[in-house]
């Protein structure tokens, strides 16, 4: 079609204009000697665009080796494998694939693996997370700990909505080594980190942490300093810690002998394999489940629910066992006679049944806390 005259046509090969042309005239022009000669001449001309096409890059052996080492280092990081395994893993691949030239030339040991993960993969991940935080709103979650070198390390985690996956994502922005562990010192460290990454402080819409005074103090805590700069920020303390405090006050209404009773039962069987074997015989006699008595943990207070559940499951077998043992045992509190006396006391089993029911709800609430990954709270038993 002619650019100025809609009723006319143009042959691009012959540069000829046809006014009021129809199909018959166009087909006649196509079969003409002039058009065929010009078409043949145009096909033989090299187009100038061909000189500007990007050349296909040849993949060298070194490129293949580098790609294989990065993939292997990423596999180790994803599955939390220790760096020391890289020494044996690389040599194993060489033996497994002797015909593979890439595997034979791989030289990734523990030092190189740690360098690729920390300075390569982790560096790119941090830059990607920082780039996302520069463009959209996010919440910040921090926690401070002291490692074996007695240096204080602050972990800064961000929570944002990932547009690609359409999910809320928690990602580690960075870890900062701090000298001042006060609320002001931690706040300065976080602000410095955000400024170095080019992340606006105004993009923060929420803050979460544990309930210590350094983080949640109303005067000089981290959240108080953050609210001075961002009055509209939403602050949420760790639900797990808050609920632990509630459980601690509630547990004061329970008899104090219950925890000692559970400790005595678990430690009684841990002292001797003969006692475990004798208890197993009684389990078979009363047709109870062949399960061991669980150990009561001092740091993981959520394990108390499992311990109480196992005690109630084996209640008849335990009662029969300690009844037979109490005949020859002394009147020690933590001995068989003392344990049997507590088992037969009025209210012991009733309190365990109550705890078995309520601790299931406590564990379920704690497991589904929105601040996952913070330290385990203190025992509600005091």
């Amino acid at each position: 079609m002619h650019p100025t005259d809609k009723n006319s046509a143009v042959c691009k090969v012959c540069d000829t204009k046809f006014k009021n042309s129809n199909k018959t005239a166009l087909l006649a022009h196509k079969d003409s000697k002039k058009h065929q000669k010009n078409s043949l001449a145009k096909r033989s001309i090299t187009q100038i665009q061909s000189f500007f096409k990007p050349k296909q890059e040849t993949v060298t052996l070194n490129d293949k080796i580098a790609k294989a080492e990065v993939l292997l280092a990423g596999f180790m990081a994803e599955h939390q494998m220790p760096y020391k395994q890289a020494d044996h893993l690389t040599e194993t691949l060489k033996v497994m694939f002797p015909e593979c030239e890439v595997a034979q030339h791989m030289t990734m040991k523990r030092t190189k693996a740690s360098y690729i993960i920390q300075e390569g993969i982790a560096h790119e991940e941090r830059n990607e997370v920082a780039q996302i935080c520069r463009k959209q709103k996010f919440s910040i979650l921090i926690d401070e700990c002291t490692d074996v070198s007695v240096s204080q390390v602050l972990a800064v985690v961000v929570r944002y909505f990932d547009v690609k996956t359409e999910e809320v994502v928690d990602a580690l922005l960075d870890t900062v080594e701090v000298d001042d562990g006060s609320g002001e010192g931690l706040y300065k460290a976080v602000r410095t980190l955000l400024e170095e990454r080019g992340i606006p402080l105004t993009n923060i819409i929420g803050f979460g942490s544990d309930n210590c005074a350094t983080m949640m103090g109303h005067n000089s805590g981290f959240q108080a300093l953050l609210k001075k700069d961002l009055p509209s920020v939403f602050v949420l303390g760790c639900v797990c810690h808050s609920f632990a405090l509630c459980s601690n006050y509630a547990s004061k209404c329970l008899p104090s002998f219950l925890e000692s009773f559970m400790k005595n039962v678990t430690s009684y069987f841990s002292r001797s394999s003969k006692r475990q074997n004798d208890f197993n015989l009684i389990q078979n006699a009363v047709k109870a489940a062949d399960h061991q008595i669980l150990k009561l943990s001092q740091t993981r207070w959520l394990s108390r629910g499992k311990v109480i559940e196992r005690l109630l499951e084996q209640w008849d077998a335990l009662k029969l066992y300690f009844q037979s043992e109490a005949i020859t045992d002394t009147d020690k509190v933590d001995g068989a006679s003392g344990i049997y006396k507590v088992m037969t006391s009025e209210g012991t089993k009733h309190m365990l049944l109550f705890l078995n029911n309520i601790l299931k709800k406590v564990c379920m609430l704690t497991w589904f806390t929105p601040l996952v990954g913070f330290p385990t709270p203190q025992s509600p038993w005091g």
Side-chain angles (χ1 to χ4, degrees):
M1 182 180 293
H2 197 273
T4 58
D5 189 359
K6 296 182 179 180
N7 297 324
S8 302
V10 177
C11 177
K12 293 182 178 180
V13 177
C14 305
D15 195 18
T16 304
K17 180 180 179 181
F18 300 92
K19 183 174 287 188
N20 299 326
S21 60
N22 52 23
K23 183 178 180 181
T24 304
L26 295 176
L27 292 176
H29 175 74
K30 178 183 177 183
D31 296 334
S32 65
K33 292 182 179 180
K34 178 183 177 182
H35 181 80
Q36 293 179 0
K37 182 180 179 181
N38 291 336
S39 298
L40 183 63
K42 190 170 184 179
R43 292 193 193 101
S44 62
I45 297 175
T46 305
Q47 300 294 328
I48 191 173
Q49 289 83 359
S50 62
F51 294 100
F52 298 99
K53 289 183 179 179
K55 296 182 179 180
Q56 293 183 355
E57 297 181 359
T58 56
V59 182
T60 62
L61 178 61
N62 292 332
D63 295 335
K64 295 179 180 179
I65 296 173
K67 181 179 180 180
E69 291 177 348
V70 171
L71 289 175
L72 187 60
F75 175 83
M76 295 179 62
E78 182 179 1
H79 296 276
Q80 300 179 0
M81 298 171 58
Y83 296 140
K84 190 176 181 180
Q85 292 186 2
D87 299 347
H88 309 282
L89 185 57
T90 305
E91 297 301 324
T92 304
L93 292 175
K94 292 181 179 181
V95 177
M96 291 173 60
F97 307 105
E99 70 284 352
C100 180
E101 190 175 6
V102 175
Q104 297 302 318
H105 287 81
M106 288 179 62
T107 57
M108 190 180 73
K109 303 296 183 180
R110 69 182 76 176
T111 305
K112 190 174 184 180
S114 63
Y115 179 80
I116 293 175
I117 293 174
Q118 297 177 11
E119 302 298 331
I121 300 175
H123 178 73
E124 293 298 326
E125 288 282 346
R126 288 194 294 266
N127 290 340
E128 183 179 352
V129 174
Q131 186 176 3
I132 294 174
C133 294
R134 295 188 197 107
K135 300 178 180 178
Q136 64 185 64
K137 302 292 184 179
F138 62 92
S139 298
I140 185 171
L141 300 88
I142 65 173
D143 191 23
E144 181 264 336
C145 67
T146 304
D147 62 3
V148 293
S149 62
V150 201
S151 60
Q152 295 178 327
V153 179
L154 179 67
V156 182
V157 179
V158 293
R159 174 174 291 179
Y160 59 89
F161 179 77
D162 192 348
V163 181
K164 297 180 180 179
T165 60
E166 296 184 351
E167 294 180 350
V168 177
V169 179
D170 292 340
L172 178 65
L173 179 62
D174 208 339
T175 56
V176 185
E177 186 172 341
V178 293
D179 298 327
D180 184 7
S182 63
E184 185 177 358
L186 297 180
Y187 184 69
K188 288 182 180 179
V190 173
R191 285 206 59 170
T192 304
L193 173 64
L194 296 179
E195 291 174 358
E196 292 176 352
R197 297 285 179 178
I199 301 174
L201 188 67
T202 54
N203 282 2
I204 300 177
I205 59 175
F207 168 69
S209 180
D210 54 14
N211 297 330
C212 64
T214 304
M215 298 295 181
M216 292 297 173
H218 294 288
N219 297 324
S220 59
F222 188 98
Q223 65 94 15
L225 298 174
L226 182 61
K227 278 190 172 181
K228 288 182 180 179
D229 295 332
L230 300 172
S232 62
V233 67
F234 177 78
V235 178
L236 178 65
C238 179
V239 178
C240 191
H241 283 80
S242 301
F243 196 72
L245 295 175
C246 298
S247 302
N248 186 26
Y249 285 103
S251 64
K252 295 179 180 180
C253 300
L254 298 174
S256 59
F257 66 85
L258 286 176
E259 185 174 16
S260 301
F261 167 70
M262 289 189 292
K263 289 181 180 179
N264 294 336
V265 173
T266 55
S267 62
Y268 186 86
F269 291 102
S270 64
R271 300 171 185 171
S272 172
S273 58
K274 181 179 180 300
R275 294 174 179 175
Q276 298 178 14
N277 184 55
D278 294 340
F279 179 66
N280 191 17
L281 295 177
I282 294 182
Q283 284 179 316
N284 297 332
V286 299
K287 296 182 180 181
D290 189 11
H291 294 158
Q292 294 182 353
I293 302 301
L294 299 178
K295 184 179 179 181
L296 186 65
S297 176
Q298 297 301 317
T299 56
R300 305 282 181 178
W301 63 271
L302 294 179
S303 66
R304 282 163 168 74
K306 293 294 183 181
V307 174
I308 293 174
E309 183 179 0
R310 183 60 55 85
L311 288 176
L312 293 174
E313 178 193 82
Q314 303 291 330
W315 187 263
D316 295 334
L318 287 170
K319 190 174 181 180
L320 184 60
Y321 173 80
F322 285 112
Q323 182 181 8
S324 60
E325 290 290 319
I327 300 175
T328 57
D329 195 10
T330 59
D331 293 333
K332 291 183 179 180
V333 178
D334 58 345
S337 59
I339 295 174
Y340 180 71
K341 183 178 180 180
V342 176
M343 290 187 70
T344 55
S345 299
E346 183 178 358
T348 300
K349 188 176 182 180
H350 297 80
M351 295 301 299
L352 292 178
L353 288 171
F354 166 75
L355 289 174
N356 184 42
N357 180 45
I358 200 65
L359 285 180
K360 289 180 180 179
K361 300 178 181 179
V362 172
C363 295
M364 185 176 297
L365 177 63
T366 309
W367 287 336
F368 288 96
T369 174
L371 301 182
V372 179
F374 286 94
T376 305
Q378 297 296 323
S379 167
W381 296 85

